[in-house]
Coordinates of all heavy atoms in Angstrom, one line a residue:
R133 N 33.2 -8.2 75.4 CA 33.8 -7.5 76.6 C 34.5 -8.5 77.5 O 35.0 -8.1 78.6 CB 32.8 -6.7 77.3 CG 32.2 -5.5 76.5 CD 31.2 -4.7 77.3 NE 31.8 -4.1 78.5 CZ 31.4 -4.4 79.7 NH1 30.5 -5.4 80.0 NH2 31.9 -3.8 80.8
D146 N 19.4 -10.3 76.6 CA 19.0 -8.9 76.7 C 19.3 -8.1 75.5 O 18.5 -7.3 75.0 CB 19.7 -8.3 78.0 CG 19.3 -6.8 78.3 OD1 18.1 -6.5 78.0 OD2 20.1 -6.1 78.8
M210 N 18.0 -3.8 74.4 CA 18.3 -4.1 75.8 C 17.2 -3.5 76.7 O 17.5 -2.6 77.5 CB 19.7 -3.6 76.2 CG 20.8 -4.3 75.4 SD 22.5 -3.6 75.8 CE 22.6 -4.0 77.5
R213 N 16.7 -6.0 81.4 CA 17.4 -6.1 82.7 C 17.1 -4.8 83.5 O 18.0 -4.1 83.8 CB 18.9 -6.3 82.5 CG 19.3 -7.6 81.7 CD 19.2 -8.8 82.6 NE 20.3 -8.9 83.5 CZ 21.5 -9.5 83.2 NH1 21.7 -10.1 82.1 NH2 22.4 -9.5 84.1
N215 N 16.5 -2.2 86.2 CA 17.0 -1.9 87.6 C 16.1 -0.9 88.2 O 16.1 0.3 87.7 CB 18.5 -1.4 87.5 CG 19.1 -1.1 88.8 OD1 18.4 -0.9 89.8 ND2 20.4 -1.1 88.8
N218 N 17.5 2.6 88.8 CA 17.8 3.5 87.6 C 16.5 3.7 86.8 O 16.4 4.8 86.2 CB 18.9 2.9 86.8 CG 20.2 2.7 87.5 OD1 20.5 3.5 88.4 ND2 20.9 1.7 87.2
H270 N 15.6 1.6 76.8 CA 16.9 0.9 77.2 C 16.9 0.8 78.7 O 16.8 1.8 79.4 CB 18.0 1.7 76.6 CG 19.4 1.2 76.9 ND1 19.8 -0.1 76.7 CD2 20.5 1.9 77.4 CE1 21.0 -0.3 77.0 NE2 21.5 0.9 77.4
T271 N 17.2 -0.4 79.2 CA 17.2 -0.6 80.7 C 18.6 -0.4 81.2 O 18.9 -0.7 82.4 CB 16.6 -1.9 81.1 OG1 17.1 -3.0 80.3 CG2 15.1 -1.8 80.9
G272 N 19.6 -0.2 80.4 CA 21.0 0.1 80.8 C 21.9 -1.0 80.8 O 21.6 -2.2 80.6
G273 N 23.2 -0.7 81.0 CA 24.2 -1.7 81.0 C 24.2 -2.6 82.3 O 23.6 -2.3 83.3
H274 N 24.9 -3.7 82.2 CA 25.0 -4.6 83.3 C 26.3 -5.5 83.1 O 27.0 -5.4 82.1 CB 23.8 -5.5 83.4 CG 23.4 -6.1 82.1 ND1 24.0 -7.2 81.5 CD2 22.4 -5.8 81.3 CE1 23.4 -7.5 80.4 NE2 22.4 -6.7 80.2
D275 N 26.6 -6.3 84.1 CA 27.9 -7.0 84.1 C 28.0 -8.0 82.9 O 29.0 -8.5 82.5 CB 28.1 -7.7 85.4 CG 28.5 -6.8 86.5 OD1 28.9 -5.6 86.2 OD2 28.4 -7.1 87.7
D276 N 26.8 -8.5 82.4 CA 26.8 -9.5 81.4 C 26.7 -8.9 80.0 O 26.6 -9.6 79.0 CB 25.6 -10.4 81.5 CG 25.7 -11.3 82.8 OD1 26.8 -11.8 83.0 OD2 24.7 -11.4 83.5
Y277 N 26.8 -7.6 79.9 CA 26.7 -6.9 78.5 C 27.8 -7.4 77.7 O 29.0 -7.3 78.0 CB 26.7 -5.4 78.7 CG 26.9 -4.6 77.4 CD1 25.9 -4.6 76.4 CD2 28.1 -3.9 77.2 CE1 26.1 -3.9 75.3 CE2 28.3 -3.2 76.0 CZ 27.3 -3.2 75.1 OH 27.5 -2.5 73.9

Side-chain angles (χ1 to χ4, degrees):
R133 293 179 63 245
D146 187 30
M210 297 177 62
R213 298 283 285 268
N215 182 338
N218 298 329
H270 178 49
T271 52
H274 48 76
D275 288 342
D276 293 315
Y277 169 66

